[in-house]
Amino acid sequence: MTFALIVVCSLAGAFAVAWWLERRRHLVAEENHRRDLAEQRAHRVDELREQTERTVALFDRMVEGLIVVDAAGRIRVANRAAGALFGFAPPATDCTILEATRHHEVAALATRLEREGEILGHELRLEAVGPLRFLQVNALALRDPAGRWDGAILVFHDLTRLRQLEAVRQEFVANVSHELRTPLSLIKSAAETLLDGGKDDAAALTRFLQIIDKHANRLTLLIDDLLMLSTLDSGNVRLNLQPVSLRAAVQEAIDDLKMRAGSRGFTLENNVTADLIAQADSDRLRQVLSNLLDNAIKYGRLEGRAAVSAQVIDKRVEVAVRDDGPGIAPDACARIFERFYRADKARSREQGGTGLGLAIVKHVVQAHGGEVRVESNPGAGATFFFTLPVA
Ligand code: ADP
């Protein structure tokens, strides 16, 4: 009996130990599993955080503006370019798209997307807030797994600069066509008059041939100036930079124009001191000086005077071409370096001006790293300034 009791107790003890060991093993396994899960979760959270940071950094590097909105039109994601385009500080997740962009047209796109699903290549002209801008929008509606509207992703491409360049190009083509057509139609009508019998009258023959010659020359000048501007525009001008004596360069330009000045009783003065040496392309520099002095003669008064002087300011030499002509009105001063802009149209045409001389001057000076400007008091002459690096 006692033996049986001992056996039963031993067995019960053995079971209890086995059960305890098994339970302990189970608890340890559970604990390990829980720890693994927690580690995996922490790892996944880190991964997601990294992924989100990478995506946001990627969005911020985009040139295009990107805005993601939820179903209520509130911003979920907005990149830096979108902030710059519309003038808000990303991420702006507490704003609606209307509050952030301040443009109803943009907010209306989100509503349109709910109906249409996607919008491709849509152009927006924004002028209600800030300066006029042109944007191209590509956008896609977001749907949840059940296919319900869940917001939208909108990408904005800024076309403003492109549109401005396009407008400048169109205006330039229109101007060139007009400038070419005027001398051509004069040449054509002179030739027609000669063919219609004008050639039989010696005086008329000479007069009309002179007209043809004058306007053919004008066409040549215009085409030369256009080619020059196109070369300067292409950025392919190779400047042969070397130390140039300014006084000598001015004297050469004055000598070239002596006859022209003489025919109007005009005096050209060289007041540049011999010590001034600029780092410049001597041919281009002569072109700048000739253009400015030629204008002083063309638009100055009969028996007028123009003087060239120069001084060093902050490692730059500033050249001034001053005349005592009628001067230029303030609104014209602001536009005078634009292509085909003429302050005095009739005078320019009569003098065979192409309207491109000062645009060429500006380009050449800028290619040297310098600047041009004009100062004038109407009735009291004009002074054109340009700067060049000192050698
Ligand atoms: P253009 O071929 O007509 O001379 P420019 O570009 O050289 O073209 O000059 C533009 C316009 O600036 C001229 O048409 C003229 O009206 C004005 N202008 C230039 N220089 C002077 C000046 N020294 N005095 C008065 N007007 C000037």
Side-chain angles (χ1 to χ4, degrees):
M1 176 69 189
T2 312
F3 177 71
L5 195 64
I6 291 170
V7 168
V8 168
C9 284
S10 303
L11 279 174
F15 271 128
V17 169
W19 175 85
W20 181 82
L21 283 173
E22 178 55 23
R23 171 89 187 123
R24 199 176 123 72
R25 198 187 59 76
H26 189 74
L27 283 175
V28 168
E30 239 178 27
E31 179 56 31
N32 285 344
H33 182 63
R34 240 196 320 269
R35 198 178 310 126
D36 283 354
L37 277 181
E39 270 172 16
Q40 274 175 20
R41 205 174 304 125
H43 186 65
R44 186 86 192 103
V45 167
D46 281 351
E47 258 182 13
L48 275 174
R49 188 179 305 120
E50 256 174 47
Q51 236 172 38
T52 312
E53 279 168 6
R54 266 205 304 271
T55 312
V56 169
L58 193 77
F59 285 164
D60 277 343
R61 271 208 295 272
M62 282 171 64
V63 179
E64 290 84 8
L66 174 120
I67 296 181
V68 182
V69 289
D70 64 15
R74 297 199 86 75
I75 292 187
R76 275 189 202 160
V77 178
N79 71 351
R80 245 183 246 160
L85 266 181
F86 296 107
F88 67 86
T93 38
D94 51 342
C95 299
T96 63
I97 190 165
L98 177 60
E99 285 162 352
T101 64
R102 294 173 299 151
H103 283 284
H104 283 280
E105 302 95 313
V106 178
L109 282 178
T111 320
R112 204 178 120 191
L113 274 168
E114 189 176 355
R115 280 193 321 271
E116 297 179 14
E118 74 174 4
I119 295 173
L120 293 178
H122 178 80
E123 286 203 16
L124 279 178
R125 185 190 154 97
L126 302 180
E127 48 191 338
V129 185
L132 173 63
R133 260 155 340 128
F134 297 91
L135 303 183
Q136 189 186 60
V137 192
N138 291 303
L140 193 69
L142 300 172
R143 308 266 175 214
D144 67 11
R148 283 185 303 256
W149 159 250
D150 192 28
I153 173 162
L154 300 104
V155 178
F156 301 89
H157 189 68
D158 193 354
L159 299 180
T160 313
R161 180 91 188 107
L162 212 66
R163 289 280 175 277
Q164 282 167 346
L165 288 175
E166 180 67 8
V168 169
R169 193 189 63 81
Q170 277 173 4
E171 192 189 329
F172 184 67
V173 170
N175 276 328
V176 170
S177 312
H178 176 75
E179 296 293 330
L180 289 173
R181 198 176 294 128
T182 313
L184 263 182
S185 60
L186 290 168
I187 289 171
K188 191 164 159 40
S189 66
E192 278 169 1
T193 312
L194 288 177
L195 289 171
D196 284 350
K199 66 179 184 317
D200 302 328
D201 173 346
L205 180 63
T206 309
R207 191 152 47 87
F208 285 107
L209 283 177
Q210 278 169 343
I211 291 176
I212 291 174
D213 184 50
K214 176 178 166 186
H215 293 289
N217 284 338
R218 194 171 147 191
L219 276 179
T220 311
L221 281 180
L222 179 63
I223 289 165
D224 285 350
D225 278 359
L226 283 170
L227 285 175
M228 170 61 65
L229 264 182
S230 141
T231 315
L232 290 164
D233 266 349
S234 70
N236 288 337
V237 254
R238 241 181 268 123
L239 294 179
N240 180 17
L241 294 177
Q242 52 190 343
V244 179
S245 155
L246 262 180
R247 184 173 168 77
V250 170
Q251 198 51 49
E252 272 181 51
I254 288 180
D255 291 346
D256 288 348
L257 289 164
K258 227 166 210 151
M259 290 255 289
R260 204 164 153 70
S263 68
R264 288 178 58 84
F266 205 89
T267 310
L268 296 173
E269 271 176 33
N270 184 355
N271 295 336
V272 178
T273 53
D275 56 326
L276 291 178
I277 311 289
Q279 185 70 3
D281 180 316
S282 55
D283 288 341
R284 302 280 185 215
L285 173 59
R286 204 166 54 234
Q287 188 178 17
V288 167
L289 289 164
S290 296
N291 257 315
L292 295 176
L293 288 170
D294 188 40
N295 277 351
I297 302 170
K298 272 195 309 199
Y299 303 110
R301 54 185 183 83
L302 267 179
E303 298 181 352
R305 164 183 301 271
V308 188
S309 57
Q311 58 176 326
V312 174
I313 304 172
D314 290 340
K315 293 192 185 151
R316 313 214 134 237
V317 53
E318 183 182 70
V319 183
V321 180
R322 179 170 288 113
D323 67 54
D324 60 357
I328 304 160
D331 54 336
C333 278
R335 300 193 52 195
I336 207 143
F337 294 98
E338 287 174 22
R339 293 163 192 207
F340 295 117
Y341 182 82
R342 293 169 168 106
D344 182 345
K345 278 200 181 71
R347 186 78 183 266
S348 166
R349 295 244 154 75
E350 171 204 310
Q351 298 287 328
T354 61
L356 296 173
L358 289 178
I360 293 175
V361 165
K362 179 176 159 187
H363 258 290
V364 171
V365 170
Q366 286 180 341
H368 281 83
E371 283 167 17
V372 281
R373 71 192 162 91
V374 61
E375 278 177 12
S376 178
N377 288 320
T383 308
F384 286 85
F385 297 90
F386 67 92
T387 56
L388 292 172
V390 172

